[in-house]
């Protein structure tokens, strides 16, 4: 949610700022703006798309010259979308400007205090408060540096934030800070960038520093300095006299690392939409997930996951999983659906009890967690606020926190005790596709590894599973072209629907839920997912003539006969039936309006395949309805606020 980019160097900033905002459009936003250093600071903001901001900036190009600036795409949390509420926000004299991701929970209290002092607020946002707060502290303590002032100000704020400030009286300074909201420092040659997303930096440099929670960074053209924000604030409060900002007590040594992202990966590559590109890229993404992790030697297969072998010894990660009392999975949205598949995999293969929790619910109750538990956090971005809080709760109870994420270096990857990356590549479309199947395949690898070491599956069984799993990317690749044509045909019949039903049983129920989510996310059609065996307990009232009903009916499903009975009942209500079933299965040929035949694989791996036609069907329906597929209304790619 929201996007931050800041630049300081020798190049003209405004074009760089606008280009960076375009790279982050996929995150979801309602307005955009830039701030260029000057006396006073020059601001240009626009309600709507970045393209509109770009046009506005071109019209004001003479007044927006400068080589130091900040930029932002806003997702409204406080106040409706408008020019006044968009970022950057400034003081009355445009002496301080700020962009901000996150939510300041105590902003009403702080705003009331500043209002009594005579400060006038022109927006409804919590962000404007930060500019006035920093200016007020500077007036009270003029002897302090801007870094110390920002540290003092942000330490007064409760909630989550990623911020970047510029100051009219210092043309060679940008200050950033983070707490709960990601920031990445890009290190160039005599230039530095600060961004909430690596996609905004990658075309300029691949040398980056990931700011840790609670850190503040001072950026100048000659270099940067990272410190512990709270330590700087405590030092100031202790003496009310400036210490050297880089003192040993506060300074941090964050390593420069290579950004694992390429410019080609964040381009459409000839596809009309990122979502379609990412659907079609799934065979390659699954191969990348398996590469270096499946090994066969002398006919014996093994699984190597560095995240499970991260800690050696009796209390290592793998040992703790093998001996776990139970597994708790915390996730949101699509990741929660992959977590439900994990429940079937871990219980069926490793014989471990599993509970799946919405992280957004988990954090607001008092969960009973034991030190012998393992909490698995699943997130595509690795920045989901609710999931991060679930991890902290797990660690407070001394449970092992294990992460499954796609974005390298993300907050969840750094906060958890151990974990694995999907290596699916960047996912730009808001509706998750290849990250979902990437999560599922990683879950299966972890479950198989734990099962083998718990001796709930034999070496022969592991060999069979690994052989079949290795074939899945090729099965999917060979199926995609004819499947895409069939999905387009089916979409023509259902594009005008107002409601849709998705059904599955067992390990296919989460796939049905995911299919319903995909359709509602990008086509705005109301869709619900149900257990095929549960429909008769209430949801049957929704079935009527012509309503699309998508049913996953794989013959390997223990509830196959119950699913057949449900299909017959749907047919008796004149529903429009789309059936997903095995290649060669003719049971539904005379019943269904459309039958999609899926390639054969092991039952546990079937969700990797059955998810794909539902993604394509949703995509083509949304396209025919003229929906904004990559950036659906009201949604953001990464939900980094509560």
């Amino acid at each position: 949610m929201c996007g931050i980019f800041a630049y300081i160097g020798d190049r003209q900033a405004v074009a760089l700022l606008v280009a960076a905002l375009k790279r982050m459009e996929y995150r979801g936003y309602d307005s955009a703006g830039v701030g260029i250093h000057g006396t006073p600071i020059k601001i240009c903001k626009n309600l709507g798309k970045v393209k509109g901001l770009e046009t506005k900036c071109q019209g004001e190009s003479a007044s927006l010259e400068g080589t130091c600036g900040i930029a932002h795409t806003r997702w409204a949390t406080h106040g409706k979308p408008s020019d006044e509420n968009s970022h950057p926000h400034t003081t009355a004299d445009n002496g301080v400007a700020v962009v901000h991701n996150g939510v300041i929970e105590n902003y009403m209290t702080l705003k009331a205090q500043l209002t009594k002092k005579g400060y006038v607020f022109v927006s409804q946002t919590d962000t404007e408060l930060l500019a006035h707060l920093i200016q007020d502290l500077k007036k009270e303590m003029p002897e302090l540096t801007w870094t110390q002032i920002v540290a003092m100000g942000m330490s007064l704020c409760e909630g989550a934030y990623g911020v970047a400030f510029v100051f009219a009286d210092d043309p060679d300074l940008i200050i950033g800070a983070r707490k709960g909201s990601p920031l990445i420092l890009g290190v160039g040659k005599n230039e530095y960038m600060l961004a909430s997303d690596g996609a905004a930096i990658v075309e300029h440099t691949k040398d980056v520093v990931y700011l840790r929670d609670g850190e503040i960074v001072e950026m100048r053209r000659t270099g940067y300095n990272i410190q512990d924000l709270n330590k700087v604030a405590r030092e100031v409060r202790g003496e009310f006299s400036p210490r050297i900002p880089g003192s040993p007590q506060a300074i941090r040594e964050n390593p420069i690392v290579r950004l694992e992202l390429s410019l080609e990966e964040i381009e459409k590559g000839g596809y009309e939409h990122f979502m379609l590109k990412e659907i079609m890229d799934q065979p390659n993404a699954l191969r990348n997930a398996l590469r270096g992790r499946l090994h066969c030697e002398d006919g014996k297969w093994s699984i190597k996951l560095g995240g499970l072998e991260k800690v050696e010894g009796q209390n290592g990660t793998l040992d703790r999983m093998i001996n776990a009392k139970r597994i708790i999975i915390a996730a949101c949205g699509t990741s929660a659906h992959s977590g439900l598949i994990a429940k079937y995999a871990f219980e069926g293969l490793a014989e471990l009890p599993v509970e799946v929790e919405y992280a957004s619910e988990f954090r607001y109750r008092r969960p009973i967690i034991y030190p012998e538990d393992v909490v698995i956090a699943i997130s595509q971005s690795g920045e989901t606020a609710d999931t991060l809080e679930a991890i902290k709760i797990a660690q407070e109870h001394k449970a092992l926190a294990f992460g499954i994420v796609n974005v390298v270096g993300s907050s969840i990857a750094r906060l958890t005790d151990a974990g694995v990356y999907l290596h699916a590549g960047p996912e730009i479309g808001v509706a998750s596709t290849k990250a979902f199947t990437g999560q599922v395949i990683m879950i299966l690898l972890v479950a198989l590894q734990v099962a083998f070491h718990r001796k709930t599956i034999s070496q022969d069984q592991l060999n069979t599973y690994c052989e079949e799993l290795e074939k899945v990317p090729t099965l999917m690749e060979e199926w995609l072209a004819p499947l895409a044509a069939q999905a387009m045909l089916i979409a023509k019949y259902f594009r005008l629907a107002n409601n849709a039903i998705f059904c599955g049983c067992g390990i296919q129920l989460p796939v049905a839920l995911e299919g319903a989510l995909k359709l509602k996310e990008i086509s705005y059609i109301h869709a619900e997912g149900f257990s095929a065996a549960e429909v008769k307990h209430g949801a049957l009232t929704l079935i009527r003539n012509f309503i699309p009903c998508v049913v996953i009916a794989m013959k390997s499903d223990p509830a196959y006969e119950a699913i057949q009975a449900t299909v017959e009942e749907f047919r008796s209500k004149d529903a429009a039936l789309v059936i997903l079933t095995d290649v060669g299965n003719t049971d539904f040929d005379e019943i269904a309006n459309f039958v999609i035949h899926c390639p054969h694989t092991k039952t546990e791996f079937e969700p990797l395949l059955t998810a794909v036609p539902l993604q394509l069907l949703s995509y083509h329906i949304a396209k025919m309805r003229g929906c904004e597929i990559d950036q659906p209304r009201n949604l953001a790619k990464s939900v980094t606020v509560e």
Side-chain angles (χ1 to χ4, degrees):
M1 299 176 78
C2 307
I4 286 176
F5 185 75
Y7 172 83
I8 187 167
D10 299 323
R11 294 188 279 171
Q12 285 296 310
V14 67
L16 302 177
L17 298 176
V18 170
L21 294 185
K22 287 182 177 179
R23 295 287 185 199
M24 295 187 288
E25 282 189 294
Y26 76 98
R27 295 174 67 90
Y29 69 104
D30 51 57
S31 56
V34 299
I36 305 296
H37 179 270
T39 308
I41 296 166
K42 297 160 283 190
I43 302 295
C44 185
K45 303 194 283 191
N46 183 69
L47 173 63
K49 295 297 182 183
V50 174
K51 184 66 178 175
L53 173 67
E54 183 176 34
T55 302
K56 220 172 183 179
C57 288
Q58 288 169 350
E60 303 175 23
S61 57
S63 64
L64 291 174
E65 290 187 354
T67 57
C68 171
I70 55 178
H72 191 264
T73 49
R74 176 181 185 252
W75 177 274
T77 56
H78 293 75
K80 65 182 181 181
S82 67
D83 284 352
E84 293 77 18
N85 288 332
S86 58
H87 300 210
H89 286 285
T90 67
T91 52
D93 61 357
N94 277 31
V96 177
V98 60
V99 291
H100 163 229
N101 287 354
V103 173
I104 305 302
E105 294 174 355
N106 62 332
Y107 91 100
M108 289 298 292
T109 302
L110 295 172
K111 181 178 179 179
Q113 294 171 2
L114 290 170
T115 300
K116 287 180 181 178
K117 290 185 175 184
Y119 288 91
V120 177
F121 289 77
V122 298
S123 77
Q124 300 166 295
T125 70
D126 55 341
T127 302
E128 186 186 357
L129 158 85
L130 300 177
H132 296 307
L133 177 63
I134 296 307
Q135 184 180 60
D136 185 63
L137 290 171
K138 186 65 172 176
K139 286 179 180 177
E140 291 184 2
M141 297 173 284
E143 74 278 11
L144 298 184
T145 66
W146 280 118
T147 300
Q148 291 171 314
I149 291 293
V150 172
M152 282 285 291
M154 299 314 299
S155 70
L156 298 173
C157 297
E158 298 172 4
Y161 57 78
V163 293
F165 289 88
V166 289
F167 309 92
D169 67 358
D170 195 333
D172 189 34
L173 177 65
I174 292 176
I175 292 175
R178 69 155 293 191
K179 177 187 175 186
S181 191
L183 283 179
I184 306 170
L185 171 68
V187 180
K189 187 176 182 181
N190 299 320
E191 63 180 6
Y192 297 90
M193 289 139 270
L194 194 65
S196 55
D197 191 315
I201 292 176
V202 67
E203 65 182 295
H204 305 294
T205 181
K206 283 198 169 186
D207 292 330
V208 300
V209 176
Y210 290 97
L211 264 65
R212 305 184 187 103
D213 237 23
E215 290 187 331
I216 185 168
V217 59
E218 176 184 297
M219 298 161 50
R220 297 185 181 275
R221 290 173 179 83
T222 54
Y224 65 90
N225 183 32
I226 298 173
Q227 302 180 70
D228 183 314
L229 185 148
N230 288 320
K231 192 168 286 188
V232 173
R234 285 196 300 269
E235 289 176 355
V236 173
R237 289 194 188 98
E239 300 181 0
F240 273 150
S241 63
R243 288 193 181 187
I244 301 170
S247 65
Q249 292 90 341
I251 200 163
R252 290 287 188 93
E253 294 293 337
N254 286 22
I256 295 176
V257 297
R258 294 291 287 175
L259 188 62
E260 294 192 16
L261 187 67
S262 70
L263 200 56
E264 293 75 19
E265 288 178 310
I266 56 175
E267 301 285 358
K268 290 181 183 175
Y271 288 94
E272 187 173 354
H273 297 96
F274 280 111
M275 183 179 179
L276 182 59
K277 175 191 175 185
E278 288 152 9
I279 291 171
M280 304 306 282
D281 187 48
Q282 284 177 110
N284 181 56
L286 295 184
R287 288 192 186 99
N288 288 339
L290 295 176
R291 186 173 291 118
R293 288 161 165 168
L294 283 184
H295 299 269
C296 184
E297 188 173 341
D298 297 328
K300 287 187 176 182
W301 286 81
S302 61
I303 298 171
K304 301 292 183 185
L305 296 170
L308 285 182
E309 299 165 6
K310 182 178 174 182
V311 183
E312 298 294 335
Q314 189 172 0
N315 295 316
T317 304
L318 183 56
D319 291 306
R320 290 188 68 178
M321 276 198 165
I322 292 167
N323 298 302
K325 184 173 184 177
R326 64 176 168 169
I327 292 174
I328 301 171
I329 295 171
C332 299
T334 285
S335 298
H337 297 154
S338 64
L340 290 169
I341 293 172
K343 176 179 175 66
Y344 287 95
F346 275 101
E347 290 185 345
L349 294 169
E351 298 178 10
L352 272 170
V354 178
E355 296 177 11
V356 183
E357 299 263 6
Y358 284 115
S360 51
E361 291 288 329
F362 184 75
R363 61 174 301 193
Y364 289 117
R365 61 185 185 82
R366 297 173 61 187
I368 299 171
I369 305 174
Y370 303 100
E372 299 83 10
D373 290 336
V374 174
V375 176
I376 298 179
I378 308 175
S379 168
Q380 186 282 137
S381 67
E383 303 293 348
T384 311
D386 291 321
T387 310
L388 279 163
E389 289 302 314
I391 293 167
K392 293 173 186 176
I393 293 169
Q395 292 176 331
E396 287 171 5
H397 289 81
K398 310 300 182 186
L400 174 71
F402 187 86
I404 298 177
V405 300
N406 190 34
V407 179
V408 176
S410 57
S411 296
I412 288 177
R414 285 178 283 126
L415 181 62
T416 47
D417 302 308
V420 289
Y421 288 118
L422 309 184
H423 296 306
E427 188 177 68
I428 306 300
V430 167
S432 184
T433 52
K434 67 176 182 177
F436 173 71
T437 50
Q439 288 169 352
V440 172
I441 205 165
M442 285 312 308
I443 285 162
L444 292 166
L445 284 173
V446 175
L448 285 168
Q449 177 78 320
V450 172
F452 179 68
H453 286 278
R454 280 175 61 85
K455 303 188 187 309
T456 54
I457 62 172
S458 66
Q459 179 66 60
D460 287 344
Q461 288 174 306
L462 181 64
N463 291 345
T464 302
Y465 277 114
C466 291
E467 286 170 4
E468 290 296 313
L469 190 57
E470 191 182 43
K471 295 175 185 176
V472 168
T474 301
L475 288 174
M476 185 185 293
E477 190 170 56
E478 293 172 348
W479 187 37
L480 268 172
L483 176 62
Q486 187 180 17
M488 190 183 302
L489 174 65
I490 298 171
K492 290 179 181 178
Y493 288 88
F494 295 144
R495 70 189 188 280
L496 300 178
N498 294 316
N499 301 281
I501 301 294
F502 290 74
C503 292
C505 280
I507 202 168
Q508 299 295 351
L509 172 57
V511 181
L513 297 173
E514 176 64 9
L517 178 62
K518 284 291 138 309
L519 188 63
K520 70 181 82 169
E521 278 181 320
I522 63 169
S523 75
Y524 314 146
I525 293 173
H526 173 246
E528 296 290 341
F530 296 100
S531 163
E534 182 68 16
V535 170
K536 58 182 173 290
H537 294 290
L540 200 58
T541 60
L542 301 174
I543 309 302
R544 52 187 173 78
N545 58 321
F546 305 124
I547 188 168
C549 293
V550 181
V551 182
I552 307 171
M554 307 301 286
K555 294 198 80 168
S556 62
D557 197 315
Y560 181 70
E561 290 183 0
I563 296 170
Q564 283 183 298
T566 299
V567 170
E568 289 284 359
E569 192 146 18
F570 285 177
R571 186 60 174 169
S572 71
K573 306 291 188 294
D574 292 324
L577 286 167
V578 179
I579 307 296
L580 274 68
T581 191
D582 312 73
V583 168
N585 185 9
T586 60
D587 291 350
F588 303 101
D589 288 1
E590 303 300 320
I591 302 173
N593 299 84
F594 298 97
V595 179
I596 299 173
H597 290 105
C598 303
H600 287 293
T601 187
K602 295 206 55 92
T603 303
E604 293 85 355
F605 306 157
E606 286 175 349
L608 292 166
L609 297 172
T610 55
V612 180
L614 305 188
Q615 296 168 353
L616 282 167
L617 188 61
S618 298
Y619 169 81
H620 286 296
I621 289 174
K623 183 182 175 184
M624 291 174 188
R625 289 168 68 93
C627 299
E628 198 161 351
I629 292 171
D630 287 332
Q631 298 167 38
R633 67 189 183 202
N634 303 334
L635 295 181
K637 182 63 177 173
S638 177
V639 183
T640 56
V641 297
E642 299 170 21

